[in-house]
Amino acid sequence: MSAASPTLPAEWYFDPARYNRERSRIFATEWLWYTSVGEVAAPGSYVAQCYAGWPLMVMRGTDGVLRGFHNVCRHRAGPLVDDGSGHCTNLVCQYHGWAYSVDGRLRSARDFGEALDPDEYALRAIRVTEWRGQVFVNLDLGAASLEEDLRDFFAEMDAFPLEGMTLVRSLRHDLACNWKTYADNYLEGYHIPLLHPELNRQFDAKRYRVELGDRYCRHTAPSRDGSPADGRWLFRWPNLAMNIYGDSMNVEVIVPTGPESCVVSYSHFFADPDAADVGGVIALADTVLEQDRRMVESVQRNLAAGTYDAGLLSPRHENGVRQFQDLVRAAEQK
Ligand code: FES
Ligand SMILES: [Fe+2]
């Protein structure tokens, strides 16, 4: 077992300059979970959201092709669509009415007084790839393919029938903490006996294990009644957790919204949306989120208070946190 290692410096959790570097070095270069395919199934349907300060939209064109763009007009940076999900068959900027084709090329610059090249003034594109019912984006047009980059992480889910699961509920939780404060918390089970009495009754936290893979980790904990755990909780750098059980899944994504704020979005999928335990599974996830919220928001306040510079990570319990923080440090060297 390796020795205890130092945490990231406290300043990395609130410094605006650091946040801006992470926006470009992490969130503009990595594959990011964006939405589920069902949300953008119909021609004209879109999902728009500001992702680590990047205003993005993913839209199913009237030609059936899924594409992604920066939600920023090439005229004077107006928005094409509002954040959220909706339906749009005509991509027209809300500010002065420039219109774009489904492929992002400029179709008309309303009453502009001069002809413009449709390609030169096309919407800035982002990469979009569908995988087993989920939609991922990458702002880096030269990045390796999703399947190549996430190969080992995806292989962990080979045995689970993800396509047969239905999205039952999605919810966004606003948290007053840096995205890494929440990720650090997700990545260890050390806190479970103190923060999560309901989880602690179900699982044997003493035997909670985190195993590391290529930029991902797998969490397992045997259930207390001795039955073999039939699920796995997977976290893929930088901000995606897929918590998979035999017949349900919770996709949990940490979206930065500022140096000291983030949104944690939950999407609950069930093999049988009418199963008796659906409400209970969702309620437990909400309870655990609120228990974590109380702690991570307090930790955020304390990190920024000026009394703590850096701490220590347990070699036994916090190897997942260490892997994550090493990847944060490596991104800083890019
Ligand atoms: S900013 Fe889009 S038309 Fe002017
Ligand atoms: Fe927790």
Side-chain angles (χ1 to χ4, degrees):
M1 197 175 282
S2 55
S5 53
T7 64
L8 293 177
E11 192 192 22
W12 290 36
Y13 291 83
F14 57 83
D15 177 30
R18 171 88 38 191
Y19 173 67
N20 272 325
R21 285 203 293 279
E22 290 176 350
R23 283 188 61 227
S24 54
R25 292 176 195 187
I26 298 173
F27 291 92
T29 64
E30 298 287 346
W31 282 101
L32 305 169
W33 184 92
Y34 190 83
T35 190
S36 58
V37 170
E39 301 295 283
V40 283
S45 57
Y46 68 82
V47 172
Q49 61 181 316
C50 196
Y51 207 123
W54 302 100
L56 307 177
M57 62 178 293
V58 167
M59 180 174 176
R60 178 84 58 189
T62 44
D63 56 358
V65 177
L66 196 63
R67 300 182 182 86
F69 305 105
H70 291 271
N71 183 18
V72 180
C73 177
R74 296 298 307 282
H75 175 221
R76 282 179 37 224
L80 282 302
V81 293
D82 292 331
D83 282 359
S85 54
H87 191 264
C88 164
T89 50
N90 215 3
L91 261 183
V92 178
C93 176
Q94 299 182 25
Y95 200 177
H96 311 96
W98 281 24
Y100 297 87
S101 306
V102 285
D103 62 2
R105 297 170 75 228
L106 182 64
R107 190 156 54 80
S108 76
R110 185 187 129 260
D111 200 25
F112 192 66
E114 183 178 316
L116 297 175
D117 181 335
D119 292 313
E120 189 178 350
Y121 291 95
L123 293 174
R124 300 266 189 228
I126 62 173
R127 302 262 301 274
V128 180
T129 302
E130 298 175 45
W131 172 84
R132 301 190 67 189
Q134 310 299 326
V135 177
F136 291 79
V137 299
N138 196 321
L139 275 58
D140 179 0
L141 300 180
S145 71
L146 174 72
E147 290 78 3
E148 190 181 329
D149 200 42
L150 278 75
R151 178 184 297 128
D152 294 356
F153 173 70
F154 284 165
E156 293 278 346
M157 290 172 269
D158 280 351
F160 294 90
L162 309 187
E163 293 84 350
M165 295 191 192
T166 305
L167 178 65
V168 170
R169 192 195 68 163
S170 55
L171 196 64
R172 294 162 58 87
H173 303 273
D174 287 289
L175 297 184
C177 70
N178 181 272
W179 69 280
K180 301 188 296 298
T181 313
Y182 188 86
D184 287 346
N185 176 72
Y186 179 91
L187 286 163
E188 44 91 356
Y190 195 22
H191 69 270
I192 289 176
L194 284 93
L195 260 58
H196 305 305
E198 296 83 359
L199 278 187
N200 199 42
R201 277 197 289 278
Q202 282 184 13
F203 296 105
D204 183 355
K206 281 204 180 63
R207 291 195 286 154
Y208 194 102
R209 285 178 60 200
V210 179
E211 291 157 290
L212 308 183
D214 173 19
R215 291 166 290 166
Y216 79 91
C217 59
R218 177 179 58 228
H219 298 223
T220 50
S223 61
R224 285 202 185 273
D225 63 12
S227 58
D230 62 353
R232 52 187 69 187
W233 311 309
L234 303 165
F235 183 93
R236 174 53 161 79
W237 161 261
N239 67 334
L240 168 64
M242 296 186 72
N243 308 308
I244 302 180
Y245 307 91
D247 50 9
S248 72
M249 164 171 75
N250 177 17
V251 179
E252 183 176 347
V253 185
I254 312 161
V255 179
T257 52
E260 295 193 79
S261 63
C262 63
V263 166
V264 173
S265 89
Y266 273 4
S267 302
H268 291 279
F269 297 80
F270 290 85
D272 175 7
D274 300 318
D277 65 341
V278 165
V281 169
I282 291 176
L284 177 60
D286 287 351
T287 298
V288 170
L289 186 280
E290 289 308 319
Q291 291 162 342
D292 283 324
R293 174 205 294 280
R294 190 177 66 80
M295 185 53 63
V296 294
E297 292 188 343
S298 295
V299 166
Q300 183 67 36
R301 181 198 63 199
N302 289 353
L303 288 168
T307 50
Y308 172 98
D309 298 325
L312 279 183
L313 295 174
S314 157
R316 173 171 175 185
H317 292 289
E318 293 169 304
N319 56 331
V321 184
R322 179 173 180 176
Q323 178 194 42
F324 171 78
Q325 296 193 356
D326 283 348
L327 287 163
V328 173
R329 287 190 185 92
E332 180 62 22
Q333 308 302 321
K334 276 186 189 170

